[in-house]
Amino acid sequence: MDFGRFFVELYMARWALLQGLGVTLVISAIAIVLGTLLGIGVGLSLVYGGKVQRLLVRAALEYVRGTPVFVLILACYYLLSQVGIQLTAFQAGLVALTVFCSSHVGENLRGALLALPKGQTEAAKAIGLTFRQTFVYVLAPQALRQALPAWINTAAEMVKASTLLSVIGVLELMLATRQVISRNFLSLEFYLLAGIVYFLISFSIERFGRHVERRVALPS
Amino acid sequence: MGYQLNFAPIWRSFDLLLSGLALGLGMAVLAILIGCLIGLVAAFAMTSGSPLLRRIASTYVTVIRNMPLFFLIIFAYFVVPLTIGMRIDKVHAFVATLTIYAGAYLTEVFRGALLALPKGLREAGLAIGLTERQTRIWVIIPVMLRNALPALSNNFISLFKDTSLAAAIAVPDLTFYARQINVNSFRVVETWTVCSLMYVAACTLIAAGLRYAERRLAIPH
Amino acid sequence: MTNRVLEIESLHKQFGEVEVLKGVDLDMESGDVVSIIGSSGSGKTTLLRCVNLLEDFQQGSIRIDGQEIGYTPMPERRRRKEAEIARQRAMTGMVFQQFNLFPHMSALGNVTLGLTKVKKLPKAEAVAVAERWLEKVGMIERRNHYPGQLSGGQQQRVAIARAIAMNPKIMLFDEVTSALDPELVNEVLNVIKSLAAEGMTMLLVTHEMKFAYEVSRRVVFMNQGRIEEQGAPADVFRNPRSTRLAEFLKNAKF
C-alpha cells in the first residue's frame, strides 16, 4: 500500500467521493422518512383495519417481505418505466427502498402494538377516553418506545441496502468509489476507505439509537 | 397503451430460473451450515473467560455486522484476488463471503441463546460427572440449539434472500437469469412478477418447513 | 327522584354459545357498598365489567343515575355511539386486578390524564384535584414517581386515585388485592374502607371474605351466572340459606 500515492489520489477524488457519500446519506434518509410514514400506515391497518383491509395489507406485506431487496430495486427500475412512469434511477431506487423500509416498520409497529397489555386499553376506556385519545396518549407512546430498537436497526439496514443502488446506476458511494478506482487503480485502498465509511455510518446509527433509547427509557 | 401480457419467454426459460433458484438455495444452505460452526465457536469465545478470545470474537461480529453485504461481496470478488494475486471463482467468493457474513449474525443468535440458558444447566451436567467438554456437547448445545431454532430459521430465510446479490457479480442465480430474460425479451412485468413470486413461494415453503421442524424438535412441554 | 345509583335489570350476557349471565337484577342506592362473592366462572367479574361497558350484554338494561347505559332503551335497543359510551364510562370508576397504570406517566400524570382529556379541566385545576386524591390514598409523596418505581400496593393506590378523581357515581373494584403480595394487601383495603366510610357508592368483586364482611352494607353471592343469595353481611356469612353458598364459605375458610 502506497500511502503517498493514495493520499494524492484521494485529494483529487475528494469531491467525487463526497458527492457519492452525500447521495448515499440523502437517499437513505429520504427512504427512511417516507418508509416510516408508509410503514406506520401499514402497521395501523394491520392492527385496527377492517377484515378486508387487513387481508390486503397482509398479502402485500408478505409479498414485499418475501422478495429480496435487490429484486425490489431491479423490478422498480425496469418496471416503472414500462408502466409509463418515467423515473430516474435515483427515483426508482428511492421507491424500492421506501417500500422495503415500510415493510419492516409496519411489521415492527404491529408487533409493538400487539405486545401492549390489553389492560392498558381497558384502563383508558374506564376513565372515559375515546379510541383516538387512547391511541394518542396511552398506546402510541408505549408502542413507539417498544419499537425504537427495531426501527434503529431498520435505519441501519437502509444504508446498507443503498449500496445495491450502484447496480442500477445511482451515483452513491459504492459506484463513486468504483469510478474513482477505474481511474487510479488503487482498488484495495479506496474500497477499504469506503468500507470504513460504511462501518462508521452504521456504527454511529447504532450508537445514536442506544443514546435515544436511554433518553426515553422510563425510570424504574 | 396496450401492454399485452405474454409469459411465453418466461416459461421457455423456466428451467434456467429454477436452476438459479436451486443454486441460491444451495449457496444459502452451505453458508448457514458453515456459518453455524463459526457462530458456535465465536459465541462460546464471547462468553468464555479469556479476554483475548472475547475481543477477537466481538471484533469480528461488530465489524461484519456493520458492513453492507454487497460491499463485502464486491471486496471479496474484486479486491482480494488483486491483492493476493490469485483468481477466485465467483461462486466460491460469494459463498465464502456469505458464510463469513452469516457467521457474524449467527454468533449473536447463539450468544443470546447461551445467555438465556438457565444457569444451573452447566452445573447439573458437571454434577453428574461429565467433563466441561462433555457437558457442552451433550447438555448445553442441544438445549441452546433448540432455543435458537426460531432465530436460526429467520436468519436462513434472510440468507436465502441475500443470495440474490450473487447476480450482481454474474453468478447464475434466479435474479441473474431474471435480469437476463428481462433484458432479452423486454417482458418486464412478467419477468419480475414471476421472479418475485418464486422468491416469495420459496420463502413461504422454507418457513413452513422450518416451523414444522421446530415443532418436531421442540422439547415437549 | 330516585336515589338509585345503579339499576341492573334482567341482565343476560353470552360469550359465543355460552351464557355467562342468566338474568341478573341488582339495585344500589347512593352510599351502598356491595360485595360480590362467588367461585370463578360464576360471572361476577363479567357483571362488573358490564357496568362500565367493557363487556357488552345482549339482553336487559343497566341504568346509572336513571340513565340507560350502553344501549338506547327498548324497543329500539341500539348500541350507543362510541363517543357517548366513552362519556357514560366516565360515570363509573374502575380499579383493576392488574392495576393497569400507564407506565409512561408518573403517578400524577396517570391521575390527571382523565381530568384534562375527558373532563377537560385546565391543567392547574387538574393537578390540584389529582394531588388531593393522591394525598387521600397516601401517595402524595411519590406523585412524580413512575409505576415502574412503585410497589404493587402503591400502584394500586394510585389506580384508586386515578379512578376516583374522575368523580364517578359508582366505583367498581375487580379483585383489586388478588395480585398483591400479602403484606401489601392491607394498605389497599384500608384505603377502600376509608372511601366507604365517606359515603362512596362501591361495587366490589372480592375474595377477601373478612374484608367483605367488614366493609359491605350488602353481600351478593353469585353462582353460575345468577344471584343466588344476597343480604346483610351477618346474614350471608353466618346464616347462609343456599347449600352452595354454605359450601363456598366452607372452602373459603371464613
Side-chain angles (χ1 to χ4, degrees), chain A residues 127-130 132-133 136-138, chain C residues 90 102 105 107-131 162 165-167:
Chain A
I127 58 176
L129 294 175
T130 63
R132 204 196 126 265
Q133 288 174 323
V136 171
Y137 297 111
V138 175
Chain C
F102 307 131
M105 297 176 176
L108 187 63
N110 265 270
V111 182
T112 55
L113 182 66
L115 296 171
T116 50
K117 304 295 172 199
V118 180
K119 299 237 166 202
K120 313 256 195 260
L121 297 180
K123 185 120 194 276
E125 199 183 328
V127 170
V129 172
E131 286 184 343
R162 177 176 67 176
M166 298 292 288
N167 197 20

Side-chain angles (χ1 to χ4, degrees), chain C residues 167-202:
Chain C
N167 197 20
K169 310 230 187 300
I170 176 171
M171 281 284 282
L172 309 169
F173 294 86
D174 186 5
E175 300 199 33
V176 299
T177 53
S178 299
L180 292 176
D181 289 335
E183 64 267 21
L184 301 174
V185 167
N186 276 324
E187 64 191 67
V188 175
L189 294 183
N190 288 334
V191 168
I192 300 179
K193 276 187 193 165
S194 71
L195 290 177
E198 289 174 21
M200 185 79 217
T201 315
M202 308 202 291

Side-chain angles (χ1 to χ4, degrees), chain C residues 28-29 44 53 59 97 116 122 124 149 151 161 197 200 205 219 224 236:
Chain C
M28 285 175 67
E29 303 196 353
K44 52 192 202 295
L53 296 169
Q59 256 186 292
Q97 185 175 349
T116 50
Q149 299 170 303
S151 75
M200 185 79 217
V205 169
V219 174
Q224 294 189 348
V236 170

